[in-house]
Amino acid sequence: MDARLTAEQEEVRRTLREVLVKRCGPDDLRAAARSPEGHDRALWETLAQQLGLPGLALPERYGGIGCSVTELALACEESGRALAPTPLFATAALAAPLILALGGEAQRAALLPRLASGELTAALAVPGAGLATALALVEDNRGDWAGDGRAGGVQARRADGGWRLYGQAAQVLDGHSAGLLVVAAHTGGFARSRTLLFLVRADAAGMVRARQTALDATRPQARIELRDVRAELLGDEGADVPAALAATGDAAAAVLAVEAVGAADRALERTVEHVRTREQFGRPIGSFQAVKHRLADVYVGVRAARSAAYYAAWAAGTGAERVGGLALAQALEALRTAASEGIQLHGGIGFTWEHDAHLSFKRAAGDELLFGPVHRLRAHAADTARLFDAGEVRV
C-alpha cells in the first residue's frame, strides 16, 4: 500500500474543502439542518453536478467517474470536517453499491446514472434499529433481523404478479427526502425464511415517511411505514443478499471512519485555536502543561485513527481484506474523545447551543448509536478473526 495521496486525490480534497468552507458556515449548517429536506439543496446540486461526488465510486458506463472507495472516503472526510448535512453517505456509500452489486442490468442502467448525477437520492431502509446488524458490522447478518416471518420488521409477499411490502423501518438515513428506497424485507415464511432487497419509489402509494428527531441534527433520519406498498425486487430471488450487505457494510464503515476522522481533526483544530487565545492567570491556557498533554493525547488518537481509516478504505477498494468495522471503532472513539475534550477545554462556552463544539460530540454519539457501539464493533471483528479461539490469543 502506498500511503501517499495521488495528485487527483489531493485535488478532490482541496476543491471540496474550498467549497465547504464557503458554503458550510455555522449559520448555513444550522439552517440546512432545520430545512424540511435536512440538507441544503443548492449545495447538494453543486456537489453532485459540478464535482460529481455521488458518482465517484461508480463505473463510467453508468455515468460515474470510475474511482474507488478511497476517493469517496476522501470526499466524505471533507464533508465530515464541515459536518455538512448532505445525502452523500446514504446515497453513494449505502444504496448505490447495493444496486450495483445486486441489480439487474436494466435496473442499473435506469438508476445508477441518475444517482451518479445527483438527480436521484437513495436510502437504505432496514427494520427496527438493525442497520449495523444488516451491514454485518456488529454480528452475523444471516439471522432474522429483517423480521422473523411472523411479526415485526418488514414483510414481503407476492401479489398480482409483483411484490407487496408491509411493516416499518426506523432510523433510515435521509429516508424522508430520498427519491428511492432500498428496503430490506423478510419473505418465504418461517420454513423458507430469507431476506431480499426491494426498490420503492418516493411516490409509492401506501408509504408514509416522517422525519424523526435525531440526536445529530446534521444526520437526518426518518421512520418509514409501508402499508401494502408495491415494490420491485432488486435483482433476483437467488441473490446472496447477506453477502452483498456485508461487503457494502465494510466499505461504508471505512468511508464513515474517514469521515469521522475529518470531524475529529476539525474538532481538535478548533480546540487548539481556542487554547492559544483564551487567557487565564495572564497567559494562554494552551501554555499549561496539563492542557498540552491532553491535546497531545487527542492528536495521537486522531492520527492513529486516520491511518487505520485510510488503510480500511484502501483495503475495501482493492478487496485485500475487510477491516472497515475495526477502523470505524477506532475513528468513532477518536472523534468522541476529541469532541469531549474540546467541550471541556472551551470551558463554559463549549456547553452552549450557539457554539459548534456540541455538534461534533453529537455526530460521534449519533454514529455510534447507528453503527456501533464501539465495543460491539471490536468484539465482532475479534470473533470474525477468531482471535480468542481455544481460549488463547491468536497472533
Side-chain angles (χ1 to χ4, degrees):
M1 173 187 174
D2 186 353
R4 295 171 298 179
L5 299 181
T6 65
E8 292 79 8
Q9 291 170 341
E10 290 284 8
E11 183 66 17
V12 168
R13 295 179 64 181
R14 183 190 64 80
T15 303
L16 185 53
R17 184 173 299 189
E18 289 178 356
V19 171
L20 293 177
V21 165
K22 295 177 182 178
R23 304 284 293 274
C24 281
D27 293 337
D28 302 317
L29 188 65
R30 287 168 170 77
R34 288 194 301 264
S35 68
E37 295 87 357
H39 63 267
D40 183 347
R41 187 176 296 179
L43 175 61
W44 174 244
E45 291 177 356
T46 299
L47 299 180
Q49 298 175 10
Q50 297 183 22
L51 302 182
L53 296 191
L56 272 176
L58 290 176
E60 294 182 28
R61 68 179 183 276
Y62 296 122
I65 297 179
C67 295
S68 68
V69 174
T70 303
E71 284 72 24
L72 177 60
L74 291 174
C76 286
E77 180 178 12
E78 294 306 315
S79 68
R81 282 181 60 87
L83 296 178
T86 73
L88 178 62
F89 180 77
T91 298
L94 293 178
L98 289 171
I99 295 173
L100 179 63
L102 296 176
E105 186 57 35
Q107 291 174 326
R108 294 177 185 175
L111 298 175
L112 291 180
R114 297 180 64 199
L115 292 173
S117 68
E119 173 192 351
L120 179 67
T121 60
L124 173 63
V126 301
L131 183 59
T133 300
L135 297 175
L137 294 177
V138 296
E139 61 181 287
D140 184 77
N141 68 348
R142 294 183 181 272
D144 56 7
W145 53 268
D148 60 8
R150 289 163 286 184
V154 178
Q155 312 296 323
R157 69 174 180 84
R158 291 183 179 276
D160 303 325
W163 291 89
R164 295 278 183 170
L165 301 184
Y166 304 81
Q168 71 174 24
Q171 297 179 322
V172 180
L173 291 178
D174 294 293
H176 63 293
S177 62
L180 177 72
L181 293 175
V182 180
V183 182
H186 177 277
T187 187
F190 184 76
R192 301 177 59 189
S193 170
R194 66 188 188 280
T195 299
L196 298 175
L197 296 181
F198 297 86
L199 301 175
V200 178
R201 314 292 171 170
D203 58 353
M207 180 171 65
V208 178
R209 304 191 290 177
R211 183 174 177 180
Q212 293 178 295
T213 300
L215 175 63
D216 178 11
T218 64
R219 188 83 86 186
Q221 302 173 26
R223 183 181 69 255
I224 311 296
E225 295 182 1
L226 303 161
R227 305 167 182 171
D228 194 25
V229 174
R230 183 178 296 277
E232 176 185 352
L233 178 65
L234 179 61
D236 58 66
E237 295 186 50
D240 191 347
V241 172
L245 284 167
T248 298
D250 180 73
V255 171
L256 194 65
V258 179
E259 182 192 86
V261 165
D265 192 46
R266 179 59 189 136
L268 176 60
E269 285 181 4
R270 187 186 299 116
T271 305
V272 171
E273 292 168 2
H274 176 75
V275 300
R276 283 176 173 172
T277 58
R278 174 73 168 91
E279 291 189 0
Q280 191 172 17
F281 306 112
R283 56 189 286 194
I285 62 174
S287 65
F288 295 112
Q289 192 173 36
V291 174
K292 290 180 181 179
H293 285 175
R294 291 172 68 169
L295 290 178
D297 289 342
V298 174
Y299 175 79
V300 171
V302 172
R303 295 291 293 183
R306 174 177 279 116
S307 296
Y310 278 11
Y311 177 77
W314 171 82
T318 60
E321 58 180 325
R322 294 184 178 181
V323 291
L326 198 55
L328 178 58
Q330 189 167 355
L332 290 179
E333 189 171 63
L335 175 55
R336 185 177 60 200
T337 302
S340 58
E341 289 285 5
I343 289 174
Q344 186 158 13
L345 290 176
H346 273 82
I349 193 174
F351 287 86
T352 62
W353 181 260
E354 291 77 15
H355 200 274
D356 290 344
H358 72 95
L359 296 177
S360 300
F361 187 82
K362 288 179 178 178
R363 173 60 66 91
D367 282 355
E368 192 168 352
L369 286 172
L370 279 172
F371 298 96
V374 165
H375 71 272
R376 290 191 65 193
L377 288 166
R378 286 177 171 152
H380 182 59
D383 290 343
T384 302
R386 303 177 65 183
L387 191 62
F388 300 107
D389 276 13
E392 297 180 359
V393 176
R394 296 168 59 92
V395 295

